[in-house]
Amino acid sequence: MSSSGNEVLTVGANLPLSQGWEPYGNTQVRAAEIAIEEINDNGGLDGKEVELVVEDNQVDPQTARQMAERLVSEKNANVLMGPISSATRVATSSVLERLQVPSLYASQYEGPAADDYCNKWMFQLGDIPSQKIEPLIPWLIEKHGESFYLLGDDYSWPKQTNEAVKQAVDNNGGEVLEEEYVSLDTTDFTSIIPRIEQEDPDVLFMTVTGGGPAAIQNQMQEQGVRDQFAQVGLAHGQGVIQGASPEATEGVYSCHAYLEGIENDANTEFIEKYRNEHGEDALVNYFTGPAYNAIKLLEDAVDRSGGTSPDEIREGLQGASASSIMGETEIESDNQMTVGTFLGQVNSEQKYEILESFDPVSPSGSCGDI
Amino acid sequence: MAELATTLLLNALSAALALSLVALGLAIIYGFMGVINLAHGAFLTVGAYIAWVMPERLGISFWVALVLAPIIVGVIGAFIERVVIRHLYDRLLDTILATWGISLALVELVKLAFGTTSKSVSNPLSGSIDLGVTVYPAYRLFLIGFCIVILVGVFMFFKSTDVGVRLRAVIQDPDAASLQGLNKTRMYQYSFASGAALAGLGGAAIAPITTVNPTMGVTYLLESFFAVILGGTGALIAVVPGSIIVAGSANIMTFMISPILAQTIVFVFVIVAMIVRPQGIVPEAWHE
């Protein structure tokens, strides 16, 4: 059932709002709401008011699939948004073809290594390894040295990210001393830290998630090893690092397509609206910006194709561009966003200060016509 | 080498003793009441949040919070026993479901009250102490001593005090104890409250060396169960060797082999131990 011709354009958000993923799902809902409000204040899209309907996929692949179906068949969504975790994305991708509805996936993920890369209906609007790992590694080697210790959680995103890290370290004349994984939800790193210390790396490159980043920072601080190697944490996000003391996190690097500290007028205005609406302490992290930007790309897609049916939105998205809080973004090929990334470093107030920006990198184009 | 070995041993010891504290709470509730308490992890989480909220929001010292955490969680435990658990005695499956429901409700309440982001409890003893062989973080040394004192205290309580002896009488034969005039209901309530209090105390004690978030209890719930199953429910003190194997050996093997393999070996060991010695690994002579 197509909803074109209705007076509303429905965006169906299929996001994790429970199971410990609240800090990620909730901020995407808030960011999308602000972008939608701006669009509606300007008369909507193709004369239609945009509305957001939200479902909690509970970070569960089966539920994510059901929510996608419910949002389309019961809530008449013209376009979906989400999910976040890779496992739920792969599950959702598998039903989009049947539902004939595009989805806006606004998260960092593993890129071309993903099983569902080149899905005709899934639009990947977050950064991929070629956009941040490839520029970040040479920067780290130059600044801190060439030996790396990789520590991640034992699931697909850390492992596939580390594949890209190993490749980049190798290409730039560096060396990976050790690659190690811990089970999800590990918060006791006390015996792993001496192991890292023994290897004596220049850089500790972390893809631990959940409570792990805060716990390992606290425990490294406690053992007094933090000045022995640089620390990079790709999942050391806002709302997570606050679980460690400020001394334990100062100096940690992270690299993302969006960080709160990005300096442009659009971002300043966005942050002000976000704080006014949700309070001074409201969480902004690397999931916030991509969600806002995704709605801006949707706006351009409808402008380009001139219609709001799912198929017209899909056609409009291929080639859509937006200049928003993340800078210049475009969907050139592979249904994957071309975007630049920012290297941030945690300051003494546990906020990321931007040290460097890396130029946008186009996806490989390996999907051809999809 | 001696320096590294000492550090690793102390790491393993602090992890094993902290787990013993939490697992002892679980063993008391199961051993005395036959209730499998899936809310144990949530009790630990509440204890950790008390250790966070008091210093950070209310200006009360961490040390006061460490004393108040078990009392507050114990009162919560007594209340839950009164309104829920009491109606489900001798219904094993129902208590599992009910305590799991209580766990979900407590965690959601924590989220409503304090949000879902991680919290940090600043380390009240942030320095390190020179032990000669190695320099070791002061708070972890405190934690080792503190856990030993509490464990010895609890075991002495059950061995030597009047209330302890009555409690054990109720476990051994609830009906005979009732005929002797012992109040079974009251004893059960004490057991549940004190088990909960130990989880709350454990949560508060580990808060400064980990991170505080709503889901932190899950890992401890699981490890506590392993420690109790491994040790066996015949004697309370069995949780100590159980915890040494679950947390202590995993800690050392993590350093020597790798984290995932270490955990797998412990899981396999627990499964084999359950098959070979379902009564627990400690000798029968330890049983009460």
Side-chain angles (χ1 to χ4, degrees):
Chain A
M1 182 169 98
S2 163
S3 15
S4 75
N6 288 359
E7 286 316 289
V8 291
L9 186 166
T10 303
V11 179
N14 171 12
L15 291 168
L17 304 172
S18 58
Q19 316 297 325
W21 286 58
E22 296 90 339
Y24 310 145
N26 286 332
T27 191
Q28 290 219 326
V29 170
R30 290 170 168 185
E33 279 170 353
I34 291 175
I36 287 170
E37 196 181 297
E38 288 171 0
I39 290 170
N40 287 337
D41 287 347
N42 281 322
L45 285 183
D46 193 27
K48 299 187 177 79
E49 188 170 332
V50 182
E51 65 161 11
L52 185 70
V53 182
V54 183
E55 293 284 359
D56 177 10
N57 66 33
Q58 298 168 21
V59 215
D60 174 54
Q62 178 74 22
T63 313
R65 218 169 10 228
Q66 287 164 354
M67 289 306 152
E69 284 174 12
R70 176 188 296 182
L71 284 163
V72 174
S73 60
E74 289 174 27
K75 312 283 180 177
N76 300 321
N78 308 54
V79 56
L80 297 172
M81 190 182 146
I84 290 185
S85 82
S86 288
T88 54
R89 186 199 63 247
V90 171
T92 307
S93 289
S94 69
V95 294
L96 292 179
E97 175 76 37
R98 181 163 51 79
L99 296 172
Q100 300 273 304
V101 169
S103 190
L104 311 173
Y105 176 65
S107 302
Q108 63 169 348
Y109 78 112
E110 56 275 24
D115 292 340
D116 59 337
Y117 197 71
C118 298
N119 185 297
K120 182 180 172 186
W121 295 91
M122 184 59 86
F123 285 83
Q124 290 117 181
L125 311 177
D127 58 78
I128 56 178
S130 62
Q131 294 165 341
K132 68 177 171 197
I133 304 293
E134 284 174 26
L136 173 62
I137 299 298
W139 188 94
L140 289 167
I141 289 180
E142 177 156 353
K143 176 101 192 217
H144 292 284
E146 57 189 30
S147 61
F148 283 67
Y149 194 109
L150 315 183
L151 179 68
D153 276 348
D154 191 21
Y155 74 102
S156 64
W157 174 72
K159 288 188 168 172
Q160 286 171 341
T161 300
N162 281 343
E163 285 306 311
V165 172
K166 285 190 285 187
Q167 187 75 50
V169 169
D170 202 42
N171 291 344
N172 289 282
E175 186 193 0
V176 173
L177 301 174
E178 186 78 62
E179 178 185 1
E180 190 141 66
Y181 296 95
V182 296
S183 61
L184 272 166
D185 294 326
T186 296
T187 48
D188 182 6
F189 294 90
T190 44
S191 320
I192 299 166
I193 295 165
R195 246 173 109 90
I196 301 169
E197 207 185 349
Q198 273 203 327
E199 293 287 339
D200 193 26
D202 297 314
V203 178
L204 172 62
F205 197 101
M206 291 173 279
T207 41
V208 289
T209 62
I216 192 169
Q217 290 305 133
N218 265 344
Q219 289 157 15
M220 284 194 288
Q221 177 74 14
E222 189 190 42
Q223 297 192 15
V225 300
R226 289 227 311 127
D227 53 358
Q228 295 180 19
F229 39 80
Q231 294 132 46
V232 183
L234 289 190
H236 280 49
Q238 286 296 325
V240 169
I241 56 172
Q242 277 69 20
S245 64
E247 314 83 70
T249 53
E250 191 174 357
V252 170
Y253 297 111
S254 202
C255 188
H256 297 284
Y258 180 78
L259 289 169
E260 184 185 344
I262 293 175
E263 286 176 8
N264 63 43
D265 292 345
N267 192 41
T268 313
E269 196 185 321
F270 169 75
I271 293 292
E272 196 181 307
K273 278 184 191 169
Y274 194 97
R275 298 264 183 247
N276 281 344
E277 193 104 354
H278 303 292
E280 274 312 301
D281 294 332
L283 189 67
V284 174
N285 57 28
Y286 51 81
F287 289 99
T288 315
Y292 176 90
N293 191 65
I295 302 295
K296 292 291 172 178
L297 285 165
L298 172 66
E299 183 178 22
D300 190 52
V302 174
D303 284 349
R304 283 163 46 87
S305 72
T308 56
S309 74
D311 210 42
E312 285 165 324
I313 290 175
R314 189 187 68 79
E315 277 167 27
L317 280 169
Q318 293 184 328
S321 63
S323 173
S324 83
I325 59 177
M326 301 163 79
E328 301 295 329
T329 60
E330 192 186 351
I331 307 173
E332 282 178 82
S333 61
D334 294 0
N335 286 357
Q336 166 63 48
M337 180 168 75
T338 302
V339 66
T341 51
F342 297 87
L343 170 65
Q345 186 172 31
V346 180
N347 65 17
S348 57
E349 279 147 19
Q350 295 190 308
K351 296 249 182 197
Y352 276 100
E353 261 168 34
I354 291 172
L355 300 184
E356 197 83 35
S357 64
F358 299 126
D359 290 337
V361 174
S362 305
S364 63
S366 57
C367 299
D369 275 338
I370 46 171
Chain B
M1 192 60 214
E3 183 188 342
L4 184 62
T6 314
T7 303
L8 289 174
L9 273 177
L10 288 171
N11 284 345
L13 188 64
S14 58
L17 285 170
L19 179 61
S20 301
L21 210 60
V22 181
L24 179 60
L26 198 67
I28 288 175
I29 293 173
Y30 180 75
F32 289 5
M33 309 165 67
V35 168
I36 291 179
N37 178 27
L38 292 183
H40 212 62
F43 289 151
L44 174 137
T45 306
V46 172
Y49 269 86
I50 291 169
W52 169 75
V53 77
M54 288 194 168
E56 300 294 325
R57 293 284 165 87
L58 307 174
I60 299 167
S61 130
F62 169 80
W63 304 109
V64 177
L66 186 60
V67 175
L68 290 179
I71 297 173
I72 296 170
V73 179
V75 170
I76 295 173
F79 175 74
I80 289 170
E81 194 279 340
R82 181 72 194 80
V83 296
V84 183
I85 312 295
R86 183 166 300 180
H87 307 286
L88 303 171
Y89 286 144
D90 306 321
R91 288 158 61 183
L92 187 65
L93 191 63
D94 295 342
T95 55
I96 293 176
L97 289 173
T99 52
W100 183 240
I102 289 162
S103 165
L104 294 177
L106 281 175
V107 169
E108 291 306 314
L109 281 175
V110 164
K111 286 183 190 169
L112 279 178
F114 306 116
T116 55
T117 58
S118 300
K119 312 291 183 201
S120 167
V121 175
S122 39
N123 193 326
L125 293 173
S126 56
S128 289
I129 290 175
D130 192 345
L131 298 173
V133 264
T134 185
V135 177
Y136 200 70
Y139 185 79
R140 275 191 194 258
L141 288 175
F142 162 78
L143 185 66
I144 291 170
F146 180 75
C147 289
I148 292 174
V149 169
I150 299 288
L151 288 170
V152 170
V154 172
F155 294 134
M156 295 291 286
F157 172 83
F158 285 112
K159 269 264 163 317
S160 324
T161 68
D162 213 34
V163 184
V165 172
R166 278 190 224 161
L167 267 170
R168 288 194 293 141
V170 174
I171 318 164
Q172 274 166 6
D173 194 336
D175 297 328
S178 272
L179 292 174
Q180 303 280 325
L182 290 178
N183 186 338
K184 176 177 145 188
T185 313
R186 173 70 52 80
M187 292 300 149
Y188 276 12
Q189 190 171 24
Y190 283 161
S191 303
F192 198 80
S194 57
L198 280 170
L201 181 65
I206 59 165
I209 54 168
T210 179
T211 183
V212 177
N213 65 45
T215 53
M216 66 185 290
V218 179
T219 316
Y220 277 90
L221 175 68
L222 200 69
E223 289 191 346
S224 301
F225 266 107
F226 281 155
V228 172
I229 291 169
L230 203 56
T233 50
L236 284 180
I237 201 161
V239 299
V240 177
S243 300
I244 289 172
I245 290 169
V246 172
S249 71
N251 219 284
I252 288 171
M253 283 193 289
T254 291
F255 176 80
M256 289 170 32
I257 325 165
S258 90
I260 296 288
L261 200 57
Q263 229 177 20
T264 312
I265 292 172
V266 170
F267 286 176
V268 169
F269 185 83
V270 172
I271 294 168
V272 171
M274 272 163 61
I275 296 168
V276 180
R277 276 191 72 85
Q279 72 275 40
I281 53 168
V282 300
E284 266 82 21
W286 291 22
H287 291 189
E288 275 125 23

